[in-house]
Amino acid sequence: LAYGAKRALGLIVTVFVAAHFSGRYAEYLLAGVMGDYLGATICVTEVYLLFLIVLMPHFEIHKSFVYEIASVGNAFMHGNVRLENVITELSNDEKKTTLFRFVMVGLLTTLWCSFVGHPPVFVRKTVAQNGETDEVQIALSKDNDTCEEKRGNKQEIISLLDILIDPKKDFKNRYDAVL
């Protein structure tokens, strides 16, 4: 409450929103929240909150800057301003140039990631569900018959699971069973 009730409420809502979306993503991706993921979520949320705290005293200045950017973008979209004028305005204002560079880095990074490396997890899961590839299907399949061909027989898998879930087995027994 050191920043006032209105600002404190905004920060609290920000934490809840970040926790909610992070939890949903972790549940989808990892089938639960893991320790490292939780730690990363805490760090990212803290950086975001500190960023908001730094912005708070200058909110009105930043608010007018955002409105100015939006009005230029709106005028350009409606054909009232030519592209040359927008580029000139961007190059003359240091804040706008910095924002433009930041947005371009984000867009180009997203574009680069879409063409390089493995497809996103969401795409891999869809491919596995459609049965379009065996490699992905084994990694994400819940069907034991598909896994049996690549990993060994079904009886070995069941006996391993029995050892792993038995509450009477200690860590050494479980470790030896996996190896």
Side-chain angles (χ1 to χ4, degrees):
L1 293 173
Y3 299 105
K6 186 176 177 183
R7 290 178 178 172
L9 182 63
L11 294 173
I12 291 169
V13 168
T14 300
V15 170
F16 280 114
V17 168
H20 173 73
F21 285 110
S22 177
R24 286 186 60 203
Y25 185 73
E27 185 64 36
Y28 172 79
L29 188 64
L30 304 170
V33 177
M34 310 299 179
D36 289 345
Y37 185 86
L38 181 62
T41 301
I42 291 169
C43 289
V44 169
T45 304
E46 185 176 350
V47 167
Y48 185 62
L49 287 176
L50 291 173
F51 173 73
L52 290 176
I53 289 171
V54 168
L55 275 177
M56 280 181 189
H58 310 289
F59 183 70
E60 290 302 319
I61 297 169
H62 298 299
K63 185 176 167 183
S64 64
F65 176 70
V66 170
Y67 285 141
E68 186 179 335
I69 294 288
S71 67
V72 170
N74 191 24
F76 176 72
M77 296 303 286
H78 287 95
N80 299 336
V81 176
R82 293 180 21 198
L83 181 61
E84 294 85 18
N85 296 345
V86 173
I87 292 172
T88 303
E89 189 171 338
L90 279 175
S91 61
N92 291 338
D93 189 351
E94 185 179 341
K95 286 172 139 180
K96 292 177 185 175
T97 304
T98 305
L99 179 64
F100 177 74
R101 287 180 181 173
F102 177 75
V103 169
M104 289 305 294
V105 166
L107 289 174
L108 292 175
T109 302
T110 303
L111 183 67
W112 179 78
C113 288
S114 66
F115 291 114
V116 176
H118 296 290
V121 173
F122 308 111
V123 173
R124 287 185 284 192
K125 188 170 184 178
T126 304
V127 168
Q129 287 173 349
N130 295 338
E132 297 172 7
T133 179
D134 291 336
E135 180 183 341
V136 175
Q137 209 165 15
I138 290 169
L140 299 173
S141 176
K142 293 182 180 177
D143 183 3
N144 288 334
D145 294 334
T146 310
C147 297
E148 182 178 322
E149 299 170 6
K150 302 285 182 178
R151 293 188 187 156
N153 80 30
K154 195 173 189 176
Q155 190 58 35
E156 289 176 5
I157 294 172
I158 292 172
S159 65
L160 174 63
L161 289 175
D162 289 339
I163 292 171
L164 292 175
I165 62 172
D166 186 2
K168 295 177 185 173
K169 300 290 183 186
D170 62 352
F171 176 77
K172 184 177 181 341
N173 291 336
R174 291 179 182 149
Y175 181 79
D176 291 339
V178 171
L179 292 179

